[in-house]
mmCIF file of all heavy atoms in Angstrom:
data_model
loop_
_atom_site.group_PDB
_atom_site.id
_atom_site.type_symbol
_atom_site.label_atom_id
_atom_site.label_comp_id
_atom_site.label_asym_id
_atom_site.label_seq_id
_atom_site.Cartn_x
_atom_site.Cartn_y
_atom_site.Cartn_z
ATOM 1 N N LYS A 48 7.719 70.448 -44.812
ATOM 2 C CA LYS A 48 8.463 69.458 -45.591
ATOM 3 C C LYS A 48 7.549 68.383 -46.164
ATOM 4 O O LYS A 48 7.814 67.829 -47.209
ATOM 5 C CB LYS A 48 9.525 68.783 -44.723
ATOM 6 C CG LYS A 48 10.700 69.652 -44.416
ATOM 7 C CD LYS A 48 11.750 68.856 -43.681
ATOM 8 C CE LYS A 48 12.981 69.675 -43.408
ATOM 9 N NZ LYS A 48 14.008 68.912 -42.717
ATOM 10 N N ALA A 49 6.477 68.066 -45.481
ATOM 11 C CA ALA A 49 5.598 66.990 -45.914
ATOM 12 C C ALA A 49 4.690 67.414 -47.059
ATOM 13 O O ALA A 49 4.178 66.581 -47.777
ATOM 14 C CB ALA A 49 4.753 66.498 -44.746
ATOM 15 N N THR A 51 3.580 68.822 -50.696
ATOM 16 C CA THR A 51 4.178 68.746 -52.019
ATOM 17 C C THR A 51 3.989 70.075 -52.722
ATOM 18 O O THR A 51 2.975 70.745 -52.578
ATOM 19 C CB THR A 51 3.529 67.626 -52.847
ATOM 20 O OG1 THR A 51 2.126 67.891 -52.940
ATOM 21 C CG2 THR A 51 3.762 66.278 -52.211
ATOM 22 N N PRO A 85 7.090 64.984 -57.798
ATOM 23 C CA PRO A 85 8.030 64.696 -56.712
ATOM 24 C C PRO A 85 7.728 63.426 -55.913
ATOM 25 O O PRO A 85 8.603 62.939 -55.204
ATOM 26 C CB PRO A 85 7.888 65.919 -55.807
ATOM 27 C CG PRO A 85 6.481 66.354 -56.004
ATOM 28 C CD PRO A 85 6.180 66.074 -57.453
ATOM 29 N N LEU A 86 6.528 62.883 -55.988
ATOM 30 C CA LEU A 86 6.177 61.722 -55.165
ATOM 31 C C LEU A 86 6.703 60.438 -55.793
ATOM 32 O O LEU A 86 6.445 60.162 -56.962
ATOM 33 C CB LEU A 86 4.658 61.629 -54.988
ATOM 34 C CG LEU A 86 3.985 62.819 -54.320
ATOM 35 C CD1 LEU A 86 2.490 62.594 -54.255
ATOM 36 C CD2 LEU A 86 4.548 63.041 -52.944
ATOM 37 N N LYS A 87 7.441 59.654 -55.005
ATOM 38 C CA LYS A 87 7.984 58.373 -55.470
ATOM 39 C C LYS A 87 7.063 57.249 -55.018
ATOM 40 O O LYS A 87 6.745 57.141 -53.840
ATOM 41 C CB LYS A 87 9.373 58.126 -54.881
ATOM 42 C CG LYS A 87 10.424 59.090 -55.343
ATOM 43 C CD LYS A 87 11.752 58.741 -54.699
ATOM 44 C CE LYS A 87 12.866 59.652 -55.120
ATOM 45 N NZ LYS A 87 14.140 59.261 -54.496
ATOM 46 N N PHE A 95 3.580 55.362 -51.416
ATOM 47 C CA PHE A 95 4.281 56.471 -52.046
ATOM 48 C C PHE A 95 4.942 57.336 -50.981
ATOM 49 O O PHE A 95 4.466 57.428 -49.865
ATOM 50 C CB PHE A 95 3.362 57.299 -52.959
ATOM 51 C CG PHE A 95 2.296 58.088 -52.244
ATOM 52 C CD1 PHE A 95 2.541 59.374 -51.807
ATOM 53 C CD2 PHE A 95 1.035 57.550 -52.044
ATOM 54 C CE1 PHE A 95 1.560 60.097 -51.168
ATOM 55 C CE2 PHE A 95 0.048 58.274 -51.406
ATOM 56 C CZ PHE A 95 0.312 59.550 -50.965
ATOM 57 N N HIS A 96 6.079 57.928 -51.353
ATOM 58 C CA HIS A 96 6.899 58.713 -50.436
ATOM 59 C C HIS A 96 6.964 60.152 -50.919
ATOM 60 O O HIS A 96 7.201 60.406 -52.105
ATOM 61 C CB HIS A 96 8.320 58.143 -50.350
ATOM 62 C CG HIS A 96 8.343 56.729 -49.858
ATOM 63 N ND1 HIS A 96 8.467 56.415 -48.528
ATOM 64 C CD2 HIS A 96 8.248 55.541 -50.513
ATOM 65 C CE1 HIS A 96 8.452 55.106 -48.383
ATOM 66 N NE2 HIS A 96 8.320 54.551 -49.574
ATOM 67 N N ALA A 97 6.766 61.090 -49.988
ATOM 68 C CA ALA A 97 6.824 62.521 -50.288
ATOM 69 C C ALA A 97 8.215 63.053 -49.967
ATOM 70 O O ALA A 97 8.917 62.508 -49.117
ATOM 71 C CB ALA A 97 5.779 63.265 -49.472
ATOM 72 N N PRO A 98 8.643 64.126 -50.639
ATOM 73 C CA PRO A 98 9.941 64.725 -50.318
ATOM 74 C C PRO A 98 9.995 65.141 -48.856
ATOM 75 O O PRO A 98 9.019 65.637 -48.300
ATOM 76 C CB PRO A 98 10.009 65.955 -51.225
ATOM 77 C CG PRO A 98 9.044 65.682 -52.320
ATOM 78 C CD PRO A 98 7.978 64.824 -51.737
ATOM 79 N N GLY A 99 11.128 64.909 -48.240
ATOM 80 C CA GLY A 99 11.297 65.222 -46.826
ATOM 81 C C GLY A 99 10.898 64.068 -45.925
ATOM 82 O O GLY A 99 11.081 64.132 -44.723
ATOM 83 N N GLY A 100 10.351 62.995 -46.487
ATOM 84 C CA GLY A 100 9.969 61.832 -45.699
ATOM 85 C C GLY A 100 11.186 61.042 -45.267
ATOM 86 O O GLY A 100 12.303 61.207 -45.776
ATOM 87 N N ARG A 101 10.965 60.154 -44.339
ATOM 88 C CA ARG A 101 12.067 59.391 -43.743
ATOM 89 C C ARG A 101 12.832 58.549 -44.764
ATOM 90 O O ARG A 101 14.044 58.485 -44.757
ATOM 91 C CB ARG A 101 11.493 58.505 -42.639
ATOM 92 C CG ARG A 101 12.523 57.719 -41.891
ATOM 93 C CD ARG A 101 11.883 56.957 -40.768
ATOM 94 N NE ARG A 101 12.863 56.180 -40.062
ATOM 95 C CZ ARG A 101 12.572 55.216 -39.224
ATOM 96 N NH1 ARG A 101 11.323 54.924 -38.972
ATOM 97 N NH2 ARG A 101 13.510 54.543 -38.620
ATOM 98 N N TYR A 103 12.479 58.773 -48.211
ATOM 99 C CA TYR A 103 12.367 59.328 -49.568
ATOM 100 C C TYR A 103 13.664 59.153 -50.349
ATOM 101 O O TYR A 103 13.642 58.758 -51.503
ATOM 102 C CB TYR A 103 11.981 60.806 -49.497
ATOM 103 C CG TYR A 103 11.765 61.425 -50.859
ATOM 104 C CD1 TYR A 103 10.572 61.218 -51.532
ATOM 105 C CD2 TYR A 103 12.745 62.201 -51.465
ATOM 106 C CE1 TYR A 103 10.360 61.773 -52.778
ATOM 107 C CE2 TYR A 103 12.540 62.757 -52.708
ATOM 108 C CZ TYR A 103 11.351 62.543 -53.368
ATOM 109 O OH TYR A 103 11.143 63.078 -54.607
ATOM 110 N N ALA A 126 3.285 56.968 -47.117
ATOM 111 C CA ALA A 126 4.212 56.353 -46.160
ATOM 112 C C ALA A 126 3.932 56.908 -44.778
ATOM 113 O O ALA A 126 3.549 58.066 -44.624
ATOM 114 C CB ALA A 126 5.655 56.661 -46.569
#
Side-chain angles (χ1 to χ4, degrees):
K48 287 186 177 181
T51 58
L86 300 178
K87 294 180 179 181
F95 68 89
H96 300 269
R101 183 176 179 195
Y103 183 80

